[in-house]
Amino acid sequence: MMGYRKFDLFIWVLSVLCLGWLCSGFNPADIYLIDCGSPANTSVGNRVYVADNLASKFLSTPKDVVANISLKSITSFDDSPLYQTARIFTESSKYTFSISQSGRHWIRLYFYPFVFGGYDLSKAKFSVSTQNHVLLGDFSVQNASLVKEFSVNVTSDSLVITFTPSNNSFAFLNAIEVVSVPNQLITDDANNGLHGLTTHTQALETSWRVNMGGPTVSFEKDTLWRTWVPDQSFQVNANLAKYVSNIAAVTYDAGSALATKDIAPQTVYGTLTEMKSADDTNSNFNVSWEFTVDPGFQYLVRFHFCDVVSKSLYQLYFNVYLDSLIVARDLDLSTLATNKLAVPYYMDYVTTSAAVSNKLRISIGPSPLNNAYPNAILNGLEIMKLNNSAGSLGGANSLVPSSNSSSKSNVGVIVGAGVGSFIAVVLAAILFVLYRRRKRLADQGHSKTWLPFSINGTNSHTMGRKYGTTASAASNYSYRFPFGVVQEATNNFDESWVIGIGGFGKVYKGVLNDGTKVAVKRGNPRSQQGLAEFRTEIEMLSQFRHRHLVSLIGHCDDDSEMILVYEYMENGTLKSHLYGSGHPSLSWKQRLEVCIGAARGLHYLHTGCAKAIIHRDVKSANILLNENLMAKVADFGLSKKGPEIDQSHVSTAVKGSLGYLDPEYFRRKKLTEKSDVYSFGVVLFEVLCARPVLDPSLTKEMNLDEWAMEWQKKGQLEQIIDSTLAGKIRPDSLRKFGETAEKCLADCGVDRPSMGDVLWNLEYALQLQEAEIPGDAEENSTNTIGEQSPQVNNFQ
Ligand SMILES: *[C@@H]1O[C@H](CO)[C@@H](O)[C@H](O)[C@H]1NC(C)=O
Ligand SMILES: *[C@@H]1O[C@H](CO)[C@@H](O)[C@H](O)[C@H]1NC(C)=O
Ligand SMILES: *[C@@H]1O[C@H](CO)[C@@H](O)[C@H](O)[C@H]1NC(C)=O
Ligand SMILES: *[C@@H]1O[C@H](CO)[C@@H](O)[C@H](O)[C@H]1NC(C)=O
Ligand SMILES: *[C@@H]1O[C@H](CO)[C@@H](O)[C@H](O)[C@H]1NC(C)=O
Ligand SMILES: *[C@@H]1O[C@H](CO)[C@@H](O)[C@H](O)[C@H]1NC(C)=O
Ligand SMILES: *[C@@H]1O[C@H](CO)[C@@H](O)[C@H](O)[C@H]1NC(C)=O
């Protein structure tokens, strides 16, 4: 077509950016990554999706509509940056890609239905097809982000992907990806099971890709950019299953029928789900999973195995079932995997007829053969839909969730849900409505010997096997509580002891058996999404101890628990003292002291160690107050290590809380400490005005930061201060405070002060306030103090 050169500008992106083993040698001959509608290139992990205008030569469309999501309408910052722009097709439109090497190619289509102008993308209805196959028929996307992944064998020198709106509707697309697939990935001899099917002409759609017994394996950890989701939510009876992790043991072998890193990564083969039967030699039951599928299609099911549990060879024999059919009897991995343990092995199986129900059940169970300890394992599973005899994959519109599946894209969840975000967001009205606690606790938190009490034989308590390798780094830092102790401390997670609920679970009040009060955050045990945040928080909080950072007392990762135990903060969140919860209003001096304390905590994070730590979620709900109203910064789940000296930013997907988000970070996805400074500036105005950052009663479409800045620029800040402070703030103190907040909210990070400068200026504002002699409100007295102060360190 139109003379496309073979090696286009995109081809080298991956090879240039490829990091070590991640690529394991596979260099896709064709690679096209396009961020539709985007005015600029977008980096995701180590890949660059090019701007829409650079991709216009691939697109032929009778009409141009480029859409972008506005900062205000975005609901989940956890979503990929690819979802922020889209292309809308009101008439049939096609992308044409030249193909330099025939063979299988992945087509990944990204969808996120937002509202743009007159287009509600969730109302779009359309079909997508290639020259030979219908990929999607009468398709629509309701309310969640979604990635559709297809694999087709392209034998011509171009691949044409056509988007056709259904009657009176339109089509849309947020991003598109066409990438070569290694030829060995789908073959006709993947250890039988294909019943004579030839895969050459098959179009496949990935329905499910699951990592048994382990957390999500993100695309960055997969040589072929696949995402593997955890298996818990598919289990029929989770009580029968047990998880094992031994990633280091996995040894790829060159044998012909064996798996390579391209078949599935080590992190998939290194974790598994097995029968919870270890000690009972009479165990006889199946472990089963159930997957929703489209009826009317056949499926190619790929099973991944790797025996990282057996102590010696020829111990493990088991059966594998698909619905009621036996797929493999007395499966003997030791023999199949070249008489070695821990060698990855996979096999394919094609369902013999089109599915009649919308459920596909996979089971594993013990074989009666010579099984001293009955067991059965499964490490990974892929379910791929095969095109029907008409060459089509379209049909019922089953929506396969993307890597960001269901729970993350819930509209209304403002921040990416995660253990780290517990205290924060969703039901933030009353968090940490706390009770009385002992005074000594506050000091206990930051001393080095902070084990709250001793437990006999803690060493005999082995690490949970699941995540053994990943969690252990964290547990070097933090005290590990046995689950029973946490259970006892929270009165067995008594619902009436809940003091906060977040996107990812609950926060309980707790009392350890020595009387120490604690706050216990418990991640939903069935969800793995918060694991990264869980570990980040443990690492951050155990390494960085400071009187203005909330102390972590310990954690618990028994079984699949993700529990964090913190010092108890008597007075709850700063937010609850500003509005909405009936606490007595804080004086101006108290507010300044709280801001100063929080600024000290953040200043320490930014400068206290070799590498700056960026908190990323600074807001009034993450500043907690102890019994003396001393402020401590909390919630480090989103924290990131700052840039190396030779770089000036960390590039990352946008996370944070609506209303506090640095606009520069949002635009450029580049994170520096100055993003925290921006958020802190919003907190300063929140403290001054005692208003929520997203206040519907403000002028329409305006957040607190914009609104307060308008008044500050007019020099009329006193018009909008909390009415309970009216007449109680010295004009000088207010002016200093307003200037400080204004500088924090500068559009460009470089124009914002450092946290250290903010701190000094707040201290100055406090001095200006305290200089007031009762009954003598003369300006002169404060000016004198200001000039004499040795600590004053203005921005200029
Ligand atoms: C966008 O990416 C393409 C391909 O990697 C590159 O050639 C181009 O220079 C980039 N544009 C910008 C503005 O970075
Ligand atoms: C979003 O679209 C509007 C209207 O087309 C345009 O004015 C604006 O520049 C776009 N913003 C971005 C970030 O692309
Ligand atoms: C589309 O419109 C045509 C003609 O108006 C009609 O025959 C057909 O049934 C419609 N298809 C759908 C899916 O609504
Ligand atoms: C693609 O199709 C061609 C022609 O049918 C066949 O020779 C080739 O082996 C196929 N490639 C793959 C990876 O299936
Ligand atoms: C396991 O599942 C298969 C297929 O449904 C069934 O035939 C078999 O009896 C089950 N085994 C046990 C022990 O329940
Ligand atoms: C899928 O489509 C191809 C034509 O591209 C056809 O040869 C093949 O039989 C179809 N597969 C099934 C399972 O019907
Ligand atoms: C999303 O759509 C599904 C199915 O239409 C619905 O059950 C669910 O409630 C929706 N979620 C939200 C947050 O609107």
Side-chain angles (χ1 to χ4, degrees), residues 132-133 197-198 201-203 298 386-392:
N132 304 318
H133 300 282
L197 177 103
T198 345
T201 52
Q202 284 300 319
Q298 284 177 268
L386 299 175
N387 64 255
N388 61 20
S389 53
S392 171

Side-chain angles (χ1 to χ4, degrees), residues 102-105 152-155 181-188 198-202:
S102 69
R104 248 173 215 286
H105 285 69
V152 293
N153 182 0
V154 186
T155 47
V181 173
N183 281 330
Q184 322 79 274
L185 193 68
I186 305 287
T187 63
D188 289 347
T198 345
T199 57
H200 293 172
T201 52
Q202 284 300 319

